Amino acid sequence: MKPVSEESPEEQHNMHGGKYGGGRNPTTRVERLLRDRELRKIKRAIVQDEAGSSGDGGEEAEPPEHPSENGTGKEAGGEPDDEIVYGPSTPVTMIGARSRSNRGKPMKQRLLVVANRLPVSAVRRGEDSWFLEISAGGLVSALLGVKDVDARWIGWAGVNVPDEVGQRALTKALAEKRCIPVFLDEEIVHLYYNGYCNNMLWPLFHYLGLPQEDRLATTRSFQSQFDAYKRANQMFADVVNKHYQEGDVVWCHDYHLMFLPKCLKEHNSKMKVGWFLHTPFPSSEIHRTLPSRSELLRSVLAADLVGFHTYDYARHFVSACTRILGLEGTPEGVEDQGRLTRVAAFPIGIDADRFKRALDLPAVKEHINELTKRFAGRKVMLGVDRLDMIKGIPQKILAFEKFLEENSAWRDKVVLLQIAVPTRTDVPEYQKLTSQVHEIVGRINGRFGTLTAVPIHHLDRSLDFHALCALYAVLVIVFALLFYVALVTSLRDGMNLVSYEFVACQGEKKGVLILSEFAGAAQSLGAGALLVNPWNIAEVSASIGYALNMSPDEREKRHRHNYAHVTTHTAQDWAETFGFNATLTESVESTGRRGGDQIKEMELKLHPELKVSLTALCNDTRTTVVVLSGSDRSVLDDNFGEYNMWLAAENGMFLRHTGGDWMTTMPEHLNMDWVDSVKHVFEYFTERTPRSHFEHRETSLVWNYKYADVEFGRLQARDMLQHLWTGPISNAAVDVVQGSRSVEVRSVGVTKGAAIDRILGEIVHSKSMVTPIDYVLCVGHFLGKDEDIYTFFEPELPSEPANSSRMKLSEASKPTPDKRLTGRSSSIKNNSRGSHVKSQRVPVGSEKKMSANHNIPAGWRSPQEAMSWREGSSVLDLKGDNYFSCAVGRKRSNARYLLNTSDEVVAFLRKLAEAASLGFAGNSDTL
Ligand SMILES: O=P(O)(O)OC[C@H]1O[C@H](O[C@H]2O[C@H](CO)[C@@H](O)[C@H](O)[C@H]2O)[C@H](O)[C@@H](O)[C@@H]1O
Ligand SMILES: O=c1ccn([C@@H]2O[C@H](COP(=O)(O)OP(=O)(O)O)[C@@H](O)[C@H]2O)c(=O)[nH]1
């Protein structure tokens, strides 16, 4: 762990609460800011007095018009082509509808979105005339998909405007779009944006390390870049402070503005501040290589809420705070001297309807027709990326080359269409990448091209929205098959919205998505996509082949999952959840969408051939049958209610004889504080794993992916467990039981072994049994912890399951009517009645008490009685031969025998029932 004292003097000062310390130099930055704020307040009050009550914050313009949809831009002041923006012209206050003033009236609440880049970039046309065009990039796309919010967007217009005339004109033009510019001069942009953001933080957060090429130059320039970064953040803060009105929510975006929450809170500690990162947050081992690691973390922690696309990123952030700053990570976030910063995952989405709607526009249809003609006879593979090293464009192209190399028949039938949007062109690494990509494309086209066609169409340019939609949607008819494949091979990617947009535009076409496992989107779209490791060129090439040859059925199935996800997890949901369901505003009920389409409860059905044998065994007066299950009471009622037997539900937390009511045997003092945080995680993975579901039981939560794709289910389970162990349950008294298709989290001590003691105690008591139980048969598929049921009957067993069941019942002697069991368990008829209790036995779970919090029904024994049922009793006497345990389908077990399948169990019980009816069972009791 890194010592906290490594903080800069400024950090240490802040940490120790000396921010506004008296007696200090009154000209510090903070004090200047405070003074400025006071001055501004007074000035505003004067302006408002003069203008009457303005209500909406002085300087801002009329309700906005919207940036142009077609991306070709328009002269400021012209008409928009289509409405796509983040705020309607007449502000509808979605938040206001949910927030209440003290008097219970709806209160208007505004959102200040602060991001490095405005949704429009400005191009100068004259001294005071500007042309605005939509900026490319996922952050902009996602935020444009957020509707019905009274929002202002504060950011950089992507251009240097040194003169006042230009600044004034641009401010006015942007105000029509509800955008407020932050003017950054060239030097700041160079050091802050090109330098610290895109040459330092960007590669680091994407696991590409700090710049390698010229380490010395990097080291030298680091400090000046970091200073510029802080200065730039302060400039953003100044603009926010200027436009902030009491009650506004300020939502800061991305790695460019990690310093901003601190600047804002220093200025006004009451401001509600959220910060969201659009890139991955790397493992703390990577983050700790950054010279300014502590300062950045602390600045972000000043926010009230910190959000990431996935749990992995959120977990990495929390562990960076614990390991580097020495702070405490809790399931809710990070705690510092009693102050909690909430940290959570809020996966972004798109406005899928916008894409779907666009497909009906004549302009888009025309594009589609053109493309269809252009590529007729060929299957199209599509790549759309900013020309960024994280997007794995060279890897993608090399994989395509390998595919062509190995599949000559495809050479004139497939084309890779790669849109590579130029980005950050002033950063040397990006310039190098551009040449590298051009070189590879040229080589491959030279190698596989013909006079009339080339295999790779590479475009170094961005497309307008309509052209992009057409590209996502174009269908090519080859041999009467509609076909299309999107290739996303990011080496790391916060989310990757291109994959979402492609899916949204597929509609009926059901193209195939090949998706990097290193994109955040893999967790959401992995069920339908072909997941690949982009570094493994051979694997990507094989996936291309697989995609191109995929059957329509499989394509349809895969597409259905992804389409459902993309159309239900929208940008709107994302913004609402981040801002309005979390801590930034009053909490509201969830929309009810989540989990709505999931399977609620597994349909358990008893093996049809079991009925007769079970009835016979249950009706045998000398036999007691107990079904002990993890399922809840209703499942047992439905399946076993008709038999004369004991039912123990939820791992023995509830017990009833089928002739009576359910009773609880829940131990006292079970700590269930962990439930809520685990439930969130289960909900998250349930939503992202089609056909998985989870059950919330009294003492446990079970996530089941029995009906999901097995491989994807396992991947998700692995991610889920990793997250659970390091987060929500890291300090909780819970056990995790991993099934072959399930993950169960339950309170510690809730095991079948612990339960069986209480259950037998109850049964013995209720039957007033004095005759010893002379034979116990225990058959089941018990997972991990539940194997302690065998230890209950055989305390000398090791606590871990043995490597294999000690004998295969199916291969060894099976019970026959006249010779029920051979081997160790053959002596059932020679039972040793009245033999002694093994006093040295310490039953598992006997230390648990019956719950005092639950009503103990008449006839139900007190906890003390329950605890001591075997003391001094000779009812349960299990010498080696009177106990017979049998695992089902689980070789690594402490059971003595193994049955491989449920059919074998049925056959076995049939023979047992026949034996019982012939009277061979003697005075046996069967569990
Ligand atoms: O503003 P630029 O420097 O031109 O870069 C464009 C944006 O790139 C990054 O986008 C990320 O956000 C997406 C939406 O959350 C996400 O899907 C993607 O994986 C990220 O790479 C960057 O984070 C943005 O700030 C930039 O505006
Ligand atoms: O010519 C183009 C190509 C892409 N995009 C948009 O750029 C975004 C890229 O977002 P993504 O999350 O995939 O990656 P990012 O570029 O933000 O890292 C998507 O919304 C695309 O629609 C665009 O506006 N014009």
Side-chain angles (χ1 to χ4, degrees), residues 134-142 202 206 278 309 348 350 354-355 384-386 388 390-391 419-421 423-424 461-465 468 472 488 493-499 501:
I134 293 189
S135 319
L139 183 151
V140 169
S141 306
W202 179 264
H206 290 88
H278 291 260
H309 282 315
I348 207 167
I350 60 165
R354 177 181 160 223
F355 284 87
V384 177
D385 310 271
R386 276 181 309 101
D388 194 307
I390 66 151
K391 302 291 181 181
I419 309 299
V421 182
T423 183
R424 306 171 193 175
R461 52 163 294 192
S462 65
L463 296 180
D464 67 47
F465 180 65
L468 191 62
Y472 284 141
V488 176
D493 215 336
M495 179 57 86
N496 190 280
L497 292 183
V498 163
S499 51
E501 293 167 1

Side-chain angles (χ1 to χ4, degrees), residues 602-621:
M602 258 199 307
E603 285 284 312
L604 281 184
K605 279 280 158 274
L606 213 54
H607 199 296
E609 289 169 33
L610 199 58
K611 201 169 171 152
V612 176
S613 331
L614 205 53
T615 309
L617 284 169
C618 289
N619 291 342
D620 176 28
T621 51

Side-chain angles (χ1 to χ4, degrees), residues 59-73:
E59 285 175 41
E60 268 141 33
E62 296 298 298
E65 286 170 14
H66 308 309
S68 147
E69 177 82 285
N70 70 8
T72 53

Side-chain angles (χ1 to χ4, degrees), residues 11-132:
E11 270 180 321
Q12 289 184 21
H13 168 67
N14 288 344
M15 268 180 56
H16 298 111
K19 280 182 265 186
Y20 307 113
R24 298 182 60 240
N25 182 352
T27 57
T28 62
R29 183 169 50 81
V30 172
E31 282 159 31
R32 270 203 313 276
L33 283 172
L34 286 170
R35 198 190 50 212
D36 287 355
R37 187 181 63 157
E38 283 308 306
L39 285 176
R40 271 200 305 278
K41 251 192 191 165
I42 295 165
K43 230 159 86 186
R44 198 162 19 183
I46 295 168
V47 172
Q48 283 181 358
D49 266 2
E50 283 171 0
S53 175
S54 73
D56 199 19
E59 285 175 41
E60 268 141 33
E62 296 298 298
E65 286 170 14
H66 308 309
S68 147
E69 177 82 285
N70 70 8
T72 53
K74 69 186 186 70
E75 295 294 335
E79 284 304 310
D81 292 341
D82 189 10
E83 290 204 336
I84 54 158
V85 274
Y86 50 93
S89 0
T90 311
V92 178
T93 51
M94 171 190 70
I95 327 168
R98 288 170 172 177
S99 307
R100 306 267 155 209
S101 72
N102 289 342
R103 292 187 302 277
K105 282 191 189 155
M107 190 178 73
K108 189 171 164 188
Q109 192 168 28
R110 300 189 321 166
L111 182 66
L112 300 184
V113 172
V114 198
N116 171 66
R117 190 172 283 288
L118 285 175
V120 283
S121 300
V123 182
R124 198 160 190 168
R125 283 289 160 90
E127 200 190 6
D128 62 352
S129 115
W130 289 92
F131 178 80
L132 302 178

